[in-house]
Every structure is written in structure tokens, then in C-alpha cells.
Amino acid sequence: MSEKKQLLALEGVFHIPDDPSQPPHLVGSRCRACGYTAFPKRAICPSCLGRDTMEETALSRRGVIETFTVSNVAPPGFKAPYLQAYIRLPEGPRVFSVLDAQEGDVDMGSEVEMVIDKLAEDEQGNDLIGYKFRPVPRG
Ligand SMILES: [Zn+2]
């Protein structure tokens, strides 16, 4: 009998608080010297090349779709067609992400929010857990 596991698709790029009432967030780094914010986090500032100036920072859960594409070919474990997008966060970084939406639900400039969810299944049937974005519910 095989037991289904939940595996993190990526380590260290998001944080899930122990308190379930607190929402998860992406983890980036912000430069103390010039204010540049990077995602994923960096050891050296890509803007001013400062060393030891980057500190971990929680990124906003909401951003705006800068551009997106429909993938008609899916990697193993994903179902095609699915959407992928570049999402601009208010702090500056551009995040590449799966978009949990149908074509027609979203457009460039649409506001989206980050959720931690199942992204795919591996060959053993385990859930791969990671971040993705979905349209912000209206209302
Ligand atoms: Zn810097």
C-alpha cells in the first residue's frame, strides 16, 4: 500500500506560517543599501552588487499580470492547456508562476493573488505543493 505524500516543489521560496489564520507569502530579499527587492532571494544585490546587504523580506500576496501564455504542452504531472504568467509585485520583483485560471478569465493588468496549492502529481502519485496565482475574487 502506498501512502500519498505532500511534497514541496520548491524549498525556501515561500513561507507558510504555523498560525493557520495567517496567509502564506513568498520570500524575497531586499537590499538595505539601495532598496532593490529580488525574488527568489539573492545573496548579492543584482542592482548595486552590494554584499551582505540583502535581507529576507515577505512579499505581497497580490500582484498584477504583466504577460501570460497558454501552454498546450504540459510537463509530466500537469494537465494541458494551462496558463503561465509573469506577475509584477508591488515591491518590484517579477514572478513567473502557474496561473490558476482559464483563458478568458484574465488579461494583462488583471489583479491576482498568491496561493499555496497542489501544482501537480509526481510519478508516485504524490502531490507537489507550491505557489501559484489566481484571479482576485471580485466583490
Ligand atoms: Zn542594492
Side-chain angles (χ1 to χ4, degrees):
M1 202 177 96
S2 74
E3 199 171 320
K4 193 166 169 150
K5 296 190 190 111
Q6 295 205 319
L7 306 171
L8 294 182
L10 293 163
E11 299 275 358
V13 299
F14 54 83
H15 177 68
I16 303 172
D18 294 329
D19 180 351
S21 71
Q22 296 296 311
H25 60 79
L26 295 177
V27 176
S29 53
R30 184 173 186 280
C31 179
R32 275 193 306 271
C34 75
Y36 184 90
T37 303
F39 176 83
K41 59 188 177 187
R42 303 272 199 104
I44 296 173
C45 176
S47 178
C48 73
L49 304 181
R51 293 169 187 270
D52 304 320
T53 60
M54 299 300 273
E55 53 192 18
E56 251 187 47
T57 184
L59 299 174
S60 296
R61 296 180 62 227
R62 290 192 176 183
V64 168
I65 297 175
E66 209 161 81
T67 183
F68 67 98
T69 183
V70 181
S71 295
N72 289 306
V73 179
F78 285 81
K79 287 194 186 78
Y82 71 105
L83 302 187
Q84 294 175 299
Y86 277 111
I87 293 135
R88 183 70 68 178
L89 298 181
E91 292 85 3
R94 197 169 74 150
V95 179
F96 186 67
S97 174
V98 169
L99 205 53
D100 192 3
Q102 303 294 314
E103 200 179 356
D105 288 352
V106 291
D107 214 334
M108 283 183 256
S110 294
E111 198 180 19
V112 288
E113 67 181 8
M114 193 274 292
V115 290
I116 301 296
D117 202 358
K118 174 182 166 180
L119 296 182
E121 274 180 19
D122 70 9
E123 292 112 34
Q124 286 79 43
N126 299 314
D127 290 344
L128 289 175
I129 305 297
Y131 68 86
K132 60 185 176 183
F133 282 77
R134 68 180 182 200
V136 173
R138 292 183 193 280

